[in-house]
Amino acid sequence: MTTNEQFDAVMAQCRALFAKKLHDYRPAWRVLRPASLTDQIYIKAKRIRQLQMLGGDTASAVGEGIVPEFIGIINYGIIGLIQLELEPTCAPDIDEARALELYDANARLIRDLLIAKNHDYGEAWRDMRVSSYVDLILMKILRTKQIEDLGGETLVSEGINANYMDMVNYSVFALIKLTL
């Protein structure tokens, strides 16, 4: 499989779970502010790192392993991108079809970014360790928190959306290595 096909396979799995949760909960996540989503991603990345340091999935006390956490980072990252696009709200204000449309649009943007970076970096990610992706995600989260604390005002850095997109792509790389 090509990288693009692998990306599509991983994203299909993530979207399927997103759609099922959307059915069960509707877009209840619309009430979350971006900073709350950044914290959710932090919890998932921190848990992955903890499991890696303790010996992998067998160290899980709740029976959920590393793969579901990477899927969670991808889905929360895309939700974060959606939230940055839409006005804040205190109640779900979009239907399931619109939520899926926004999910797909952001997944396409993330895929385009992956293609561009793969061109420039020659798929260097394939030579990296999964643990490095986790560390990079944690660094991106810390950067994002700082940007949020600055009210989005940066001097030279990319914005919150670029960091979310990078977190998603690192998670896709990890899932390609772990599952395909």
Side-chain angles (χ1 to χ4, degrees):
M1 290 175 80
T2 67
T3 298
N4 294 348
E5 291 168 337
Q6 290 173 318
F7 178 92
D8 294 343
V10 165
M11 290 306 296
Q13 180 184 9
C14 295
R15 187 188 190 279
L17 181 61
F18 180 85
K20 287 176 184 172
K21 287 191 175 199
L22 194 57
H23 171 269
D24 290 351
Y25 306 130
R26 303 188 21 97
W29 46 263
R30 277 290 291 133
V31 304
L32 295 173
R33 291 172 278 188
S36 297
L37 289 159
T38 301
D39 286 342
Q40 268 307 120
I41 295 168
Y42 174 75
I43 289 167
K44 299 215 166 281
K46 183 92 172 176
R47 181 161 187 274
I48 293 168
R49 184 173 168 144
Q50 182 71 11
L51 288 173
Q52 287 174 332
M53 293 174 70
L54 293 174
D57 289 347
T58 59
S60 174
V62 295
E64 291 184 0
I66 292 170
V67 168
E69 298 296 357
F70 277 119
I71 293 170
I73 290 172
I74 290 168
N75 284 341
Y76 278 122
I78 291 177
I79 289 169
L81 290 167
I82 293 169
Q83 294 297 75
L84 291 172
E85 291 175 39
L86 302 178
E87 292 293 321
T89 184
C90 290
D93 60 349
I94 59 174
D95 62 18
E96 292 174 37
R98 178 72 176 138
L100 288 169
E101 177 183 303
L102 291 166
Y103 185 99
D104 292 341
N106 280 285
R108 283 190 299 274
L109 290 174
I110 293 164
R111 187 181 195 272
D112 291 345
L113 177 64
L114 176 135
I115 291 167
K117 286 191 174 185
N118 265 348
H119 176 270
D120 290 353
Y121 291 98
E123 295 204 345
W125 65 271
R126 290 197 181 272
D127 299 322
M128 295 172 62
R129 297 174 183 95
V130 173
S131 60
S132 295
Y133 305 138
V134 177
D135 292 348
L136 288 166
I137 292 167
L138 286 166
M139 179 189 65
K140 291 286 185 176
I141 292 165
L142 295 174
R143 287 180 177 182
T144 302
K145 285 180 166 207
Q146 178 62 21
I147 294 168
E148 290 167 347
D149 291 348
L150 292 170
E153 298 295 322
T154 61
L155 299 177
V156 296
S157 302
E158 297 176 311
I160 293 168
N161 60 339
N163 283 288
Y164 279 152
M165 291 173 81
D166 285 344
M167 289 180 230
V168 169
N169 272 331
Y170 290 135
S171 296
V172 168
F173 297 156
L175 289 173
I176 287 170
K177 285 193 142 192
L178 293 169
T179 64
L180 297 179

